[in-house]
Amino acid sequence: MLSFLGTTAARSDAELLAAHVGGDRYAFEELFHRHQRRLSRLAHRTTRSPEDAADALQDAMLAAHRGAATFRHDAAVGSWLHRIVVNACLDRLRRTAAQPTIALTDNEAIGDRTAEVDTVLVVRRALMRLPADQRAAVLAVHMHGYSVADAAALLGVAEGTVKSRCARGRARLTGLLRSCPP
């Protein structure tokens, strides 16, 4: 960020968030741009849809913008933003689970990918049947590759809670996927 003297004054994420809460009109924009690429990738990996990812990211940033004053400083700002994006993605997936859509582009590609798409739909439906807390833990650890400790920090729960939610989620997914017709 350039000051009026032309010097660079890099502020930490926590300082930017505090400045935003204090009324700095540009602080949140700078914070968002600092994390935009990572949060966009997270939203896309979670929703698997560019449109849903963009909508979820927008919802998340509005929630973060409005809720900045409630940030408790018990985690890194980046982790807080990550958690908000994951929650927004899960909310969006929950809303659209009843009506999954697939973009149709090319008949050959569709024919070749039918089995893959069917599998994705079955797994997505099964994931959506998990309780939200189990789904968030399973997605964080098993789909996004976070360690249990990192997932615990992102979800705001104890490590043991993440482990038990993952174990219960995996067990429930196993049952749900076994009961699905081939």
Side-chain angles (χ1 to χ4, degrees), residues 73-182:
H73 299 281
D74 56 352
V77 173
S79 296
W80 177 70
L81 291 171
H82 180 104
R83 184 176 346 152
I84 292 171
V85 170
V86 167
N87 289 339
C89 290
L90 292 175
D91 288 345
R92 181 150 298 277
L93 288 172
R94 199 175 298 117
R95 284 192 300 265
T96 60
Q99 301 172 342
T101 58
I102 302 168
L104 302 178
T105 55
D106 174 18
N107 286 340
E108 282 182 31
I110 292 167
D112 294 342
R113 296 190 59 215
T114 301
E116 180 182 337
V117 170
D118 287 343
T119 301
V120 168
L121 291 174
V122 167
V123 171
R124 184 172 283 174
R125 276 190 221 116
L127 278 169
M128 294 314 295
R129 291 182 61 190
L130 291 179
D133 57 349
Q134 289 176 10
R135 183 173 49 249
V138 167
L139 286 171
V141 173
H142 298 293
M143 304 288 259
H144 298 297
Y146 285 94
S147 68
V148 170
D150 289 342
L154 292 170
L155 298 172
V157 297
E159 289 182 32
T161 302
V162 171
K163 289 177 185 178
S164 66
R165 287 178 181 175
C166 283
R168 285 190 206 114
R170 284 190 312 268
R172 190 161 182 185
L173 272 175
T174 300
L176 290 169
L177 292 173
R178 282 188 179 146
S179 67
C180 291

Side-chain angles (χ1 to χ4, degrees), residues 5-18:
L5 296 174
T7 61
T8 301
R11 296 187 282 180
S12 71
D13 290 348
E15 290 169 333
L16 286 170
L17 194 61

Side-chain angles (χ1 to χ4, degrees), residues 1-10:
M1 176 172 151
L2 294 176
S3 73
F4 67 94
L5 296 174
T7 61
T8 301

